[in-house]
Amino acid sequence: AQRVTQPEKLLSVFKGAPVELKCNYSYSGSPELFWYVQYSRQRLQLLLRHISRESIKGFTADLNKGETSFHLKKPFAQEEDSAMYYCALSSGSGGGADGLTFGKGTHLIIQP
Amino acid sequence: DAGVTQSPTHLIKTRGQHVTLRCSPISGHKSVSWYQQVLGQGPQFIFQYYEKEERGRGNFPDRFSARQFPNYSSELNVNALLLGDSALYLCASTPRPSGLSYEQYFGPGTRLTVT
């Protein structure tokens, strides 16, 4: 069975400090990994996906298959980064019909 | 486009009752997925529908069922409600289900409270 673990329920950092939100997964095949974000009073939205290897709003995430991790990083946190962050996994097979498996989420608070 | 819409926004039901939740996908999106989000947890996959057929199902009892209509909108039905069914129910749409990891666009959710 596939599983996504986000060990930190809450992460508080000061503005300008580096941020790292941890995500570990378990899956026997080749998964597709995503980070979704939910800002206050907004709906859940995609932040980035590993296959795109892109940087969105200064965030990056590298898939480490050896450590089965997909940590989200940003070198300098901004106050508008405060939000709930979810790591998610798709098996990538079967047409994605097994949906996304989400972690429990990390609440990121950026202090001024 | 207003994005994915869901109705109602919230509702309160009694144990044993039945509930129907509705979802309209983004125009042009043919696949709809349903998720349950219990307080303090991440969303949990319930169903995926594409072209009116169930394409995937999560680990939920048979009390949960869904269908998709010709206009690609969808309903989620839950029978014999339990207190544990209290949650935020999210609908997400994509152009089609595929191994190419299409982005899922989420609706605002329906908050169900079972008393």
Side-chain angles (χ1 to χ4, degrees):
Chain A
Q2 52 207 47
R3 180 181 293 178
V4 174
T5 302
Q6 294 180 250
E8 303 135 333
K9 201 171 184 177
L10 174 67
L11 183 63
S12 180
V13 302
F14 287 101
K15 178 182 172 181
V19 173
E20 183 179 43
L21 286 78
K22 291 184 169 52
C23 172
N24 289 90
Y25 67 89
S26 64
Y27 181 65
S28 56
S30 295
E32 297 177 34
L33 275 297
F34 307 83
W35 277 98
Y36 277 79
V37 61
Q38 187 167 27
Y39 300 102
S40 179
R41 297 189 185 87
Q42 294 187 27
R43 57 187 70 186
L44 197 60
Q45 59 185 283
L46 179 67
L47 180 62
L48 53 81
R49 70 195 87 184
H50 89 270
I51 62 170
S52 301
R53 305 184 70 82
E54 57 199 345
S55 174
I56 303 293
K57 299 184 179 182
F59 284 99
T60 58
D62 290 319
L63 178 62
N64 186 322
K65 292 186 177 181
E67 295 182 0
T68 61
S69 69
F70 188 56
H71 303 328
L72 183 68
K73 300 177 183 179
K74 184 170 182 176
F76 306 103
Q78 298 173 296
E79 288 186 66
E80 53 265 34
D81 296 330
S82 294
M84 196 74 188
Y85 291 80
Y86 294 95
C87 183
L89 175 155
S90 171
S91 68
S93 61
D98 53 355
L100 291 170
T101 298
F102 284 87
K104 292 186 178 181
T106 297
H107 188 190
L108 177 63
I109 297 174
I110 307 301
Q111 299 189 48
Chain B
D1 196 332
V4 177
T5 60
Q6 294 186 243
S7 64
T9 305
H10 56 271
L11 72 166
I12 300 173
K13 290 286 189 177
T14 304
R15 275 177 298 176
Q17 286 187 318
H18 162 271
V19 69
T20 297
L21 311 180
R22 296 177 176 82
C23 171
S24 292
I26 291 173
S27 177
H29 286 192
K30 299 181 177 181
S31 178
V32 169
S33 297
W34 287 96
Y35 292 82
Q36 180 196 65
Q37 187 174 19
V38 174
L39 196 62
Q41 304 287 321
Q44 187 174 358
F45 174 67
I46 309 175
F47 288 111
Q48 183 181 83
Y49 273 77
Y50 173 62
E51 293 288 9
K52 302 186 292 294
E53 290 188 8
E54 181 183 306
R55 297 303 180 102
R57 184 184 184 116
N59 188 25
F60 279 81
D62 291 344
R63 299 186 295 108
F64 288 77
S65 63
R67 55 179 176 168
Q68 187 177 33
F69 299 98
N71 66 354
Y72 303 110
S73 67
S74 177
E75 284 182 353
L76 175 70
N77 297 283
V78 187
N79 292 323
L81 285 167
L82 303 174
L83 295 179
D85 295 331
S86 295
L88 180 68
Y89 288 85
L90 296 169
C91 174
S93 76
T94 58
R96 63 177 187 268
S98 159
L100 297 178
S101 63
Y102 283 98
E103 176 178 350
Q104 296 209 20
Y105 293 82
F106 283 85
T110 293
R111 172 73 63 188
L112 172 65
T113 302
V114 182
T115 62

